[in-house]
Amino acid sequence: MSGAREKKRAKKMRNQPASVTLPAEPGPFPGGGSRACPPPGDVRSEQQYQQQKFSNQSSGPSYRRDQYFPKGQNRGERGRGRGGWQGGHVSEEMPKYITVSTFAQARAAEISAMLKAVAQKSSNSLVFQTLPRHMRRRAMSHNIKRLPRRLQEIARKEAEKAVHQKKEQSKTKCRKARRRHINLVAEFNRRQRKNIWLETHIWHAKRFHMVKKWGYCLGDSPTEKSYRACYRAMTKHCLLQDLSYYCCLELTGKENELLKQLARICSIDTGLTFEEACCLSGRFEGSLNLYRADRYPEDMLGPVTFIWKPRDGSENRQLWIWMHPALKQDMLRELKAVFQCSEPEEIYIPEPITTTIQEEKQMDVVLSLGKKRKKEDKEGEKAVPVKKIIGDGTRDPFQSYSWISQSTGIVISDRTMEILRYRLIGPLSHSVLTETLKAASLQTEMADSETELNNWWVENCKDSEKVSLHQRQSAIFELLEGISSPSEMPPGTILGLTVGDPRVNLPKKKTKAMPDFEKYQDNDKVRQLYLEGVPVDCAHSFIWDQDICKNVTENKISEQDLNHMRAQLLVPGSLLDLGPCESKIPILLVQQPGKMAGEDRPGWGSGWDIYLPKGWGMAFWIPFIYRGVRVGGLQEALKHSEYQRTPHAPNDFPDCQAGMQFAKELETSLLEKFKRRPPAKRANYVKLGTLSPFVCPWGQLTKNWEGKMKASGEFVHPSSPHPELCATEGHSFCDSKAEVVKEASPETGEVKETMEIISSEGVLKTEDVIGAQEFGERDETMTTSDFIVLRSEKLLMQLSAWCYPTAGKDRRLRLISRLGQKEMTEDVFLPILMSYPRALVWVNLSLLRKGNPELHAMICIPAEDDLLHLSKDKLFCGPQEPKHRDIFKHKVQKLKEEKKKKKKKKDNTKALESDPPSVPDTETSEEHEDLILGLWSDALPDVTAHCSRTLLGYVTRGDFSLAVGCGEALGFVSLTGLLYMLHNQPADKKGLVLLRTPASLQYRFARLNIEV
């Protein structure tokens, strides 16, 4: 046998059972081998049989073996062969006898092993993969009939196994099925479980940058460039905003009980209250600030607007209170506590409107709404999605939205997202309204007896008084077209109306609504509307009735049906007349007065708010768009309030919980943005003298000014950058830090040296640290409100008169006498200081020269030299802050070195085991863990005296104003600091302050005003 054949044979025999032996010499069996078992009595041969397996398996003539191996040595004796068998000596003699039973057992074991080996696969390959390559076909993997017939049965068994089954098909349906309306709405409702969508969400998502705020998904700003275009729309045309995310709480009960408890959470000192006669009648909308019960002026809750339902002869009254969603939970909790409404009303589970009648499984359908419908899921296969409205899929039917008081019977209901709210801003709001909306036609007969469409309107049309009221409301609404601007109407005017479906008179393409002044130029009715406003009875609307709103929502004609009716018109594009089938929608129009405070731009930003029943959002939105309005988002609302110089909720309410939370989130986001920049590209705020660039420490500011007032006791001298003046005069605000400032030099680098003295070893002195801790930690304002915002109209009017600039002789005296205010003397302002030692005042600032104020810019008091320089040089921009020394720089460098050492120690494991870090090193590293290069890392020192100019307050919003043509800013200043500044400033420089942005050393002159 050749060597190749021998190797092949050895390979085949390597897996044979141990009982098979092939002797080297030719035997009686064919092929020169013999099968034998050792005799049972022969111990030696038995051992050889067990130990020497597959030895001397090669057969053939002896001369072939003698050629390759020496005499007395076969291949097995030289070691392990390629076939895996080992050589050994086997007796060449035939056994004399065999035991039949033992021989049969051995053969049976061999046969079973062989069958098992044949049945068991030795690899993970499939049947068709074992075929030769020339016999394989691609279709064999999925078509068994392509295999040879002898393998088809095996392949069929493989296919039945779960491992080799085809992958499960995707659980999501094809796009065509997913885009069906009934599936789309169910999917949208599922996606808005965490963040509620408005009904106009889909429209906004295609055109706006969307943000998730306050539990809603809202449009922030348009994707197109529209900053100036939105301002032009607010000024000359019309801007549309969706304010449906604002929350509405409805109070129902006896008028006396309501007014008695509501008087505890507001104050007449701040302006209007719920008892205002014009608002109580339901004729006008009111606005006020709410506080916790009997806690004014502390514990601010936030600003609200309210509308009373006009009296209809019943004992109970209805009141709507509208608020920002960030303020809702605090206000709802306080109202429930005030009215003792702890027990919720019986939970009403609405019956879902399904396409098929499944009375016994309707509740299951509601619960399974929003789940993906899977093929394998029986529940998903049978479930029919409820016909829901986009924006209405998140109201849990098992959650209570109404609470009742057992003692007084007052009911508090949450009407959020039940009433939609749109806002039109601009002088063309009247034209847009009158072109888009048409008063509903009278109807005395039902269109279809089977449906409930307009049944409420038919019943009301049978009453002559209500028909007369509707006609008067329609006449007043038509008169609006002849009014040039909404600001000409009395502020907060309310007009109730019932209109037809606005989708019916939709124009073919976008047009721009324009006023028609000639039509009502000399109309006495228009003049009467200017002077007297809307009558009380015309403020009534059916939108107050929840049953009517529900009927209007459920019986709305779908877009599909409407388009089908349009397709059946004889003349394509002609006006669609639905007749009695046209829906009738009750709405409420509320005038927004715009800018009321100040002397410039009166009435700017005025407009109308439209209140609608839910489900009709897009039906009104698209017709407004087709009248040429421009749509704005959250940023446009922010700019609208900025140009009106009014506080915007919750940004500009630092004394309420929502305002504190907003400031905390803003600080976190700005700090993360600061850390993302490389250290070399960051502004070093420590060198710039900015203690708190990302948050305004209002509590620290008011405490520092209170400490200065207590230390000095009187207001005599103006702020001065020279400390020697403070030392010689002896009774100025600099006395509290005199020991620190005395050692500073009056040269240009005085602040640098001052910082060296304060922190000679990189930390504050013990006295300073105690003082800083006494005034509070850096984020104390985030946890407790230890300051208030002054909102007393009487005091604000007084401060406004004192801040007024005096260009001519005795102009201030004439102004003060005209306003009925007192001249600024110590007898007048000292009682104010004693009453409000830690108060902030809302101010607006206009830059005299160039400059663009930014967020968290510092408002400072100008020194005498600054005012002197300005009077000599009218083009003087302002002084510069000397550069400060970074006292934390060496700490940051030390921390870096420690980190490098730790990294080296980690790389070298042996060094870590032999030389562990000492305890002082770990302590120092823990100390400097929060150190960031460029930021003040210790407790804040006195924020008012940290820079060369005394700090007065901070800017919360600032930018270049398109309305004025210069930089404008809004912010808060300390009342104590403001009175100190006004008392010591010259008569012709009253109200002049300095502004400095956080990342700049340049001060800019600005004019401070208080508008009431």
PDB file of all heavy atoms in Angstrom, residues 2 25 125 207 221 254 293 390 438 614 628 677 698 747 827 893 964 1008:
ATOM      1  N   SER A   2       0.601   2.181  -0.836  1.00  0.00           N
ATOM      2  CA  SER A   2       1.415   3.401  -0.909  1.00  0.00           C
ATOM      3  C   SER A   2       1.235   4.241   0.339  1.00  0.00           C
ATOM      4  O   SER A   2       0.317   4.034   1.137  1.00  0.00           O
ATOM      5  CB  SER A   2       1.024   4.207  -2.148  1.00  0.00           C
ATOM      6  OG  SER A   2      -0.325   4.622  -2.012  1.00  0.00           O
ATOM      7  N   GLU A  25       0.519  -8.693  10.280  1.00  0.00           N
ATOM      8  CA  GLU A  25       0.714  -9.756   9.275  1.00  0.00           C
ATOM      9  C   GLU A  25      -0.594 -10.087   8.605  1.00  0.00           C
ATOM     10  O   GLU A  25      -1.647  -9.955   9.193  1.00  0.00           O
ATOM     11  CB  GLU A  25       1.268 -11.012   9.967  1.00  0.00           C
ATOM     12  CG  GLU A  25       2.658 -10.805  10.535  1.00  0.00           C
ATOM     13  CD  GLU A  25       3.661 -10.472   9.478  1.00  0.00           C
ATOM     14  OE1 GLU A  25       3.542 -10.966   8.341  1.00  0.00           O
ATOM     15  OE2 GLU A  25       4.583  -9.677   9.766  1.00  0.00           O
ATOM     16  N   SER A 125     -23.647  23.180   9.854  1.00  0.00           N
ATOM     17  CA  SER A 125     -24.086  23.475   8.492  1.00  0.00           C
ATOM     18  C   SER A 125     -25.409  22.792   8.199  1.00  0.00           C
ATOM     19  O   SER A 125     -25.739  21.751   8.762  1.00  0.00           O
ATOM     20  CB  SER A 125     -23.031  23.024   7.492  1.00  0.00           C
ATOM     21  OG  SER A 125     -22.811  21.633   7.638  1.00  0.00           O
ATOM     22  N   ARG A 207     -42.375  73.271  10.239  1.00  0.00           N
ATOM     23  CA  ARG A 207     -41.916  74.627   9.947  1.00  0.00           C
ATOM     24  C   ARG A 207     -41.170  75.293  11.090  1.00  0.00           C
ATOM     25  O   ARG A 207     -40.680  76.411  10.929  1.00  0.00           O
ATOM     26  CB  ARG A 207     -43.125  75.508   9.592  1.00  0.00           C
ATOM     27  CG  ARG A 207     -43.889  75.032   8.378  1.00  0.00           C
ATOM     28  CD  ARG A 207     -45.272  75.673   8.305  1.00  0.00           C
ATOM     29  NE  ARG A 207     -46.004  75.230   7.124  1.00  0.00           N
ATOM     30  CZ  ARG A 207     -46.749  74.141   7.078  1.00  0.00           C
ATOM     31  NH1 ARG A 207     -46.860  73.375   8.157  1.00  0.00           N
ATOM     32  NH2 ARG A 207     -47.379  73.807   5.974  1.00  0.00           N
ATOM     33  N   SER A 221     -39.060  78.563  17.420  1.00  0.00           N
ATOM     34  CA  SER A 221     -38.847  79.638  16.451  1.00  0.00           C
ATOM     35  C   SER A 221     -38.934  79.057  15.054  1.00  0.00           C
ATOM     36  O   SER A 221     -38.634  77.876  14.844  1.00  0.00           O
ATOM     37  CB  SER A 221     -37.487  80.313  16.670  1.00  0.00           C
ATOM     38  OG  SER A 221     -36.443  79.361  16.521  1.00  0.00           O
ATOM     39  N   LYS A 254     -70.857  80.069  44.552  1.00  0.00           N
ATOM     40  CA  LYS A 254     -71.512  81.320  44.892  1.00  0.00           C
ATOM     41  C   LYS A 254     -70.507  82.470  44.827  1.00  0.00           C
ATOM     42  O   LYS A 254     -69.363  82.323  45.231  1.00  0.00           O
ATOM     43  CB  LYS A 254     -72.127  81.231  46.291  1.00  0.00           C
ATOM     44  CG  LYS A 254     -73.254  80.208  46.391  1.00  0.00           C
ATOM     45  CD  LYS A 254     -73.834  80.178  47.791  1.00  0.00           C
ATOM     46  CE  LYS A 254     -74.960  79.141  47.889  1.00  0.00           C
ATOM     47  NZ  LYS A 254     -75.523  79.064  49.249  1.00  0.00           N
ATOM     48  N   ALA A 293     -51.902  82.462  50.401  1.00  0.00           N
ATOM     49  CA  ALA A 293     -52.969  83.081  51.192  1.00  0.00           C
ATOM     50  C   ALA A 293     -52.390  83.870  52.354  1.00  0.00           C
ATOM     51  O   ALA A 293     -51.596  83.341  53.157  1.00  0.00           O
ATOM     52  CB  ALA A 293     -53.917  81.999  51.708  1.00  0.00           C
ATOM     53  N   ILE A 390     -55.971  65.092  17.617  1.00  0.00           N
ATOM     54  CA  ILE A 390     -54.552  65.298  17.899  1.00  0.00           C
ATOM     55  C   ILE A 390     -54.444  66.409  18.937  1.00  0.00           C
ATOM     56  O   ILE A 390     -54.978  67.499  18.766  1.00  0.00           O
ATOM     57  CB  ILE A 390     -53.794  65.674  16.616  1.00  0.00           C
ATOM     58  CG1 ILE A 390     -53.845  64.515  15.630  1.00  0.00           C
ATOM     59  CG2 ILE A 390     -52.360  66.051  16.927  1.00  0.00           C
ATOM     60  CD1 ILE A 390     -53.244  64.824  14.287  1.00  0.00           C
ATOM     61  N   LYS A 438     -67.289  84.395  10.034  1.00  0.00           N
ATOM     62  CA  LYS A 438     -68.593  84.942   9.688  1.00  0.00           C
ATOM     63  C   LYS A 438     -69.600  84.477  10.739  1.00  0.00           C
ATOM     64  O   LYS A 438     -69.570  83.316  11.167  1.00  0.00           O
ATOM     65  CB  LYS A 438     -69.042  84.456   8.303  1.00  0.00           C
ATOM     66  CG  LYS A 438     -68.079  84.808   7.173  1.00  0.00           C
ATOM     67  CD  LYS A 438     -67.952  86.310   6.990  1.00  0.00           C
ATOM     68  CE  LYS A 438     -66.959  86.644   5.874  1.00  0.00           C
ATOM     69  NZ  LYS A 438     -66.740  88.114   5.765  1.00  0.00           N
ATOM     70  N   LYS A 614     -62.244  72.584  21.931  1.00  0.00           N
ATOM     71  CA  LYS A 614     -61.210  71.682  21.439  1.00  0.00           C
ATOM     72  C   LYS A 614     -61.713  70.924  20.203  1.00  0.00           C
ATOM     73  O   LYS A 614     -62.923  70.735  20.001  1.00  0.00           O
ATOM     74  CB  LYS A 614     -60.806  70.689  22.526  1.00  0.00           C
ATOM     75  CG  LYS A 614     -61.846  69.633  22.838  1.00  0.00           C
ATOM     76  CD  LYS A 614     -61.293  68.610  23.806  1.00  0.00           C
ATOM     77  CE  LYS A 614     -62.341  67.540  24.103  1.00  0.00           C
ATOM     78  NZ  LYS A 614     -61.867  66.531  25.038  1.00  0.00           N
ATOM     79  N   GLY A 628     -52.906  85.681   5.328  1.00  0.00           N
ATOM     80  CA  GLY A 628     -51.633  86.407   5.276  1.00  0.00           C
ATOM     81  C   GLY A 628     -50.972  86.674   6.609  1.00  0.00           C
ATOM     82  O   GLY A 628     -50.069  87.530   6.678  1.00  0.00           O
ATOM     83  N   ARG A 677     -16.526  74.286  25.799  1.00  0.00           N
ATOM     84  CA  ARG A 677     -15.506  75.033  25.071  1.00  0.00           C
ATOM     85  C   ARG A 677     -14.124  74.662  25.607  1.00  0.00           C
ATOM     86  O   ARG A 677     -13.959  74.370  26.796  1.00  0.00           O
ATOM     87  CB  ARG A 677     -15.728  76.529  25.221  1.00  0.00           C
ATOM     88  CG  ARG A 677     -17.020  77.019  24.621  1.00  0.00           C
ATOM     89  CD  ARG A 677     -17.180  78.509  24.833  1.00  0.00           C
ATOM     90  NE  ARG A 677     -16.214  79.274  24.065  1.00  0.00           N
ATOM     91  CZ  ARG A 677     -16.401  79.673  22.805  1.00  0.00           C
ATOM     92  NH1 ARG A 677     -17.526  79.366  22.184  1.00  0.00           N
ATOM     93  NH2 ARG A 677     -15.486  80.371  22.176  1.00  0.00           N
ATOM     94  N   TRP A 698     -29.785  87.178  43.428  1.00  0.00           N
ATOM     95  CA  TRP A 698     -30.652  88.231  43.955  1.00  0.00           C
ATOM     96  C   TRP A 698     -30.612  88.289  45.479  1.00  0.00           C
ATOM     97  O   TRP A 698     -30.583  89.396  46.053  1.00  0.00           O
ATOM     98  CB  TRP A 698     -32.094  88.001  43.490  1.00  0.00           C
ATOM     99  CG  TRP A 698     -32.275  87.924  42.009  1.00  0.00           C
ATOM    100  CD1 TRP A 698     -32.715  86.855  41.290  1.00  0.00           C
ATOM    101  CD2 TRP A 698     -32.029  88.961  41.058  1.00  0.00           C
ATOM    102  NE1 TRP A 698     -32.758  87.151  39.952  1.00  0.00           N
ATOM    103  CE2 TRP A 698     -32.349  88.448  39.773  1.00  0.00           C
ATOM    104  CE3 TRP A 698     -31.577  90.275  41.156  1.00  0.00           C
ATOM    105  CZ2 TRP A 698     -32.228  89.193  38.610  1.00  0.00           C
ATOM    106  CZ3 TRP A 698     -31.451  91.017  39.996  1.00  0.00           C
ATOM    107  CH2 TRP A 698     -31.769  90.489  38.743  1.00  0.00           C
ATOM    108  N   GLU A 747      -4.199 104.033  42.088  1.00  0.00           N
ATOM    109  CA  GLU A 747      -3.739 103.994  40.703  1.00  0.00           C
ATOM    110  C   GLU A 747      -4.668 103.127  39.864  1.00  0.00           C
ATOM    111  O   GLU A 747      -5.667 102.623  40.319  1.00  0.00           O
ATOM    112  CB  GLU A 747      -2.308 103.435  40.653  1.00  0.00           C
ATOM    113  CG  GLU A 747      -1.331 104.314  41.435  1.00  0.00           C
ATOM    114  CD  GLU A 747       0.044 103.679  41.484  1.00  0.00           C
ATOM    115  OE1 GLU A 747       0.241 102.644  40.821  1.00  0.00           O
ATOM    116  OE2 GLU A 747       0.908 104.211  42.172  1.00  0.00           O
ATOM    117  N   ASP A 827     -37.381 112.026  54.554  1.00  0.00           N
ATOM    118  CA  ASP A 827     -38.617 111.694  55.267  1.00  0.00           C
ATOM    119  C   ASP A 827     -39.544 110.843  54.413  1.00  0.00           C
ATOM    120  O   ASP A 827     -40.377 110.090  54.941  1.00  0.00           O
ATOM    121  CB  ASP A 827     -39.344 112.988  55.670  1.00  0.00           C
ATOM    122  CG  ASP A 827     -38.521 113.807  56.641  1.00  0.00           C
ATOM    123  OD1 ASP A 827     -37.671 113.194  57.322  1.00  0.00           O
ATOM    124  OD2 ASP A 827     -38.725 115.034  56.705  1.00  0.00           O
ATOM    125  N   GLN A 893      -4.098  74.825  38.397  1.00  0.00           N
ATOM    126  CA  GLN A 893      -2.856  74.208  37.910  1.00  0.00           C
ATOM    127  C   GLN A 893      -2.419  73.072  38.835  1.00  0.00           C
ATOM    128  O   GLN A 893      -1.961  72.018  38.374  1.00  0.00           O
ATOM    129  CB  GLN A 893      -1.758  75.266  37.820  1.00  0.00           C
ATOM    130  CG  GLN A 893      -1.990  76.266  36.697  1.00  0.00           C
ATOM    131  CD  GLN A 893      -0.969  77.381  36.696  1.00  0.00           C
ATOM    132  OE1 GLN A 893      -0.199  77.525  37.652  1.00  0.00           O
ATOM    133  NE2 GLN A 893      -0.982  78.205  35.647  1.00  0.00           N
ATOM    134  N   VAL A 964     -36.909 100.682  19.045  1.00  0.00           N
ATOM    135  CA  VAL A 964     -36.324 101.950  19.474  1.00  0.00           C
ATOM    136  C   VAL A 964     -35.106 102.308  18.630  1.00  0.00           C
ATOM    137  O   VAL A 964     -34.789 103.474  18.434  1.00  0.00           O
ATOM    138  CB  VAL A 964     -35.949 101.882  20.977  1.00  0.00           C
ATOM    139  CG1 VAL A 964     -35.425 103.216  21.469  1.00  0.00           C
ATOM    140  CG2 VAL A 964     -37.150 101.470  21.797  1.00  0.00           C
ATOM    141  N   LEU A1008     -32.085 104.691  33.049  1.00  0.00           N
ATOM    142  CA  LEU A1008     -32.947 103.775  33.804  1.00  0.00           C
ATOM    143  C   LEU A1008     -34.339 104.382  33.941  1.00  0.00           C
ATOM    144  O   LEU A1008     -34.473 105.551  34.323  1.00  0.00           O
ATOM    145  CB  LEU A1008     -32.329 103.497  35.169  1.00  0.00           C
ATOM    146  CG  LEU A1008     -33.042 102.509  36.098  1.00  0.00           C
ATOM    147  CD1 LEU A1008     -32.024 101.712  36.891  1.00  0.00           C
ATOM    148  CD2 LEU A1008     -33.965 103.243  37.072  1.00  0.00           C
TER     149      LEU A1008
END
